[in-house]
Amino acid sequence: MTSELPGSPVLKVEGVSLAFGGVRALSKVSLEAAEGTITAIIGPNGAGKTSLFNAISGFYRPAEGRILFEGRDISRLRPPARAKLGLARTFQNIALFRGMTVLDNIKLGRHAHLRTNVLDALFYWGRAQREELALRQEIEERIIDFLEIQHIRRAPVGALPYGLQKRVELARALAMRPKILMLDEPVAGMNREETEDMARFILDVKEEWGVTILMVEHDMGMVMDISDHVIVLNFGQVIAQGRPAEVQRDPAVVSAYLGSGDVGELSRRLHARQAA
Ligand SMILES: Nc1ncnc2c1ncn2[C@@H]1O[C@H](COP(=O)(O)OP(=O)(O)OP(=O)(O)O)[C@@H](O)[C@H]1O
Ligand SMILES: [Mg+2]
């Protein structure tokens, strides 16, 4: 299935293939993410979703294909360079410093953009101080308020409930001031209320901050509610894409889930939503 992208592409993946030994995790995957939209990547367990994220953010080097960001080929850039250009992400398993406070974890995100190096700090300590101050203000006023985590800013991350930890991870990614935010299963393991909160924050990040979102997620209800464009991976290949309503009706998508063993919840939800 093909369908028009809802805007101009800010990210392009062109014919990317990736293998681990004998396992072909990605086979000639091509896709585009339109600026200022939410693109969801769905597919059964092991379909290659996280591998695709790792290829885009530079943790894995594809055997073939290219990644273009704002028209520029970034395939050879290392992960920190891609982050600096504006590609930020969260991980499928929370990757925060559990012993550090919420605030300190968020500050780490901003490091990708601090201009000041050691020499600068020696000669222009004034600027360094101003940057530190500006950094703190920006973090406190915008991100923390925005994500409604004022009350836990001094709390060690490890002591927080899971849903809040995921929100702190989002905060840290936002502190990098990304153009593209990549979220790997942002609501996995969350209860309904936490899921709804996170979905609202993701929508707000798109609408209020104009950030392009690329999201891997198994929660079909959430995907169908907030995505502009849905791309379906199965066995490392794109098998369908389009608007949420189109993808839900696609027989290839339904059978990919039915055949995956991961069925129950997912297919029931797919069908329930079609019936609704
Ligand atoms: N570092 C790795 N080493 C070896 N094989 C890997 C590695 N990472 C992924 N794979 C394999 O590549 C395939 C795709 O895995 P991937 O983690 O990308 O799937 P996924 O779609 O994210 O699945 P899930 O929904 O379970 O998170 C799987 O067969 C997996 O076992
Ligand atoms: Mg994964």
Side-chain angles (χ1 to χ4, degrees):
M1 181 198 294
T2 55
S3 87
E4 293 272 304
L5 264 193
S8 63
V10 60
L11 181 79
K12 280 192 187 189
V13 174
E14 293 183 346
V16 163
S17 298
L18 181 72
F20 299 102
V23 179
R24 261 177 103 69
L26 299 172
S27 302
K28 297 192 184 298
V29 168
S30 294
L31 56 88
E32 296 183 352
E35 185 155 21
T37 64
I38 298 178
T39 300
I41 295 163
I42 66 169
N45 293 117
K49 305 179 298 295
T50 297
S51 300
L52 176 64
F53 264 26
N54 283 329
I56 294 170
S57 53
F59 293 106
Y60 294 160
R61 188 64 59 94
E64 59 174 346
R66 302 195 303 167
I67 316 274
L68 292 112
F69 174 64
E70 295 183 321
R72 170 181 174 189
D73 187 350
I74 59 165
S75 310
R76 295 181 170 281
L77 296 183
R78 297 177 58 77
R82 298 188 200 197
K84 218 164 178 170
L85 285 176
L87 271 170
R89 70 176 288 188
T90 64
F91 292 84
Q92 188 165 352
N93 301 305
I94 290 176
L96 294 166
F97 295 93
R98 296 174 58 82
M100 284 168 54
T101 66
V102 166
L103 194 59
D104 287 339
N105 267 283
I106 294 170
K107 278 184 178 181
L108 283 176
R110 193 76 181 89
H111 270 292
H113 282 293
L114 270 189
R115 273 205 317 270
T116 314
N117 61 29
V118 178
L119 261 186
D120 278 343
L122 279 174
F123 289 106
Y124 302 105
W125 58 272
R127 190 178 89 190
Q129 284 188 325
R130 280 197 302 279
E131 278 196 341
E132 177 63 28
L133 195 68
L135 160 63
R136 217 165 36 226
Q137 282 171 348
E138 179 190 324
I139 288 167
E140 291 182 6
E141 286 166 23
R142 291 200 67 196
I143 299 170
I144 291 183
D145 283 357
F146 174 72
L147 291 175
E148 297 166 12
I149 48 179
Q150 302 89 333
H151 58 300
I152 52 161
R153 67 212 290 156
R154 306 276 171 212
V157 161
L160 298 173
Y162 181 76
L164 278 179
Q165 292 192 21
K166 294 285 264 192
R167 214 186 288 177
V168 174
E169 233 198 340
L170 176 60
R172 185 176 60 182
L174 280 177
M176 293 173 68
R177 295 228 213 111
K179 290 179 183 158
I180 300 180
L181 182 59
M182 300 170 61
L183 306 170
D184 198 349
E185 303 201 16
V187 303
M190 287 190 177
N191 64 34
R192 193 181 183 82
E193 197 189 336
E194 290 170 332
T195 298
E196 283 170 6
D197 283 348
M198 182 57 86
R200 182 170 54 82
F201 286 127
I202 294 170
L203 263 182
D204 286 349
V205 168
K206 176 187 95 161
E207 279 161 14
E208 290 177 28
W209 301 34
V211 174
T212 304
I213 313 263
L214 204 58
M215 162 177 92
V216 167
E217 187 47 65
H218 281 293
D219 185 321
M220 283 305 124
M222 193 268 205
V223 164
M224 297 303 164
D225 281 347
I226 73 169
S227 306
D228 299 295
H229 192 74
V230 179
I231 295 169
V232 189
L233 278 186
N234 196 24
F235 295 113
Q237 291 180 304
V238 176
I239 60 162
Q241 60 175 307
R243 286 191 298 275
E246 295 172 333
V247 163
Q248 257 175 288
R249 284 194 300 269
D250 193 308
V253 176
V254 177
S255 76
Y257 280 109
L258 287 171
S260 73
D262 167 61
V263 206
E265 189 63 349
L266 274 173
S267 64
R268 225 175 302 126
R269 280 168 116 153
L270 278 167
H271 290 300
R273 292 204 145 235
Q274 273 178 301

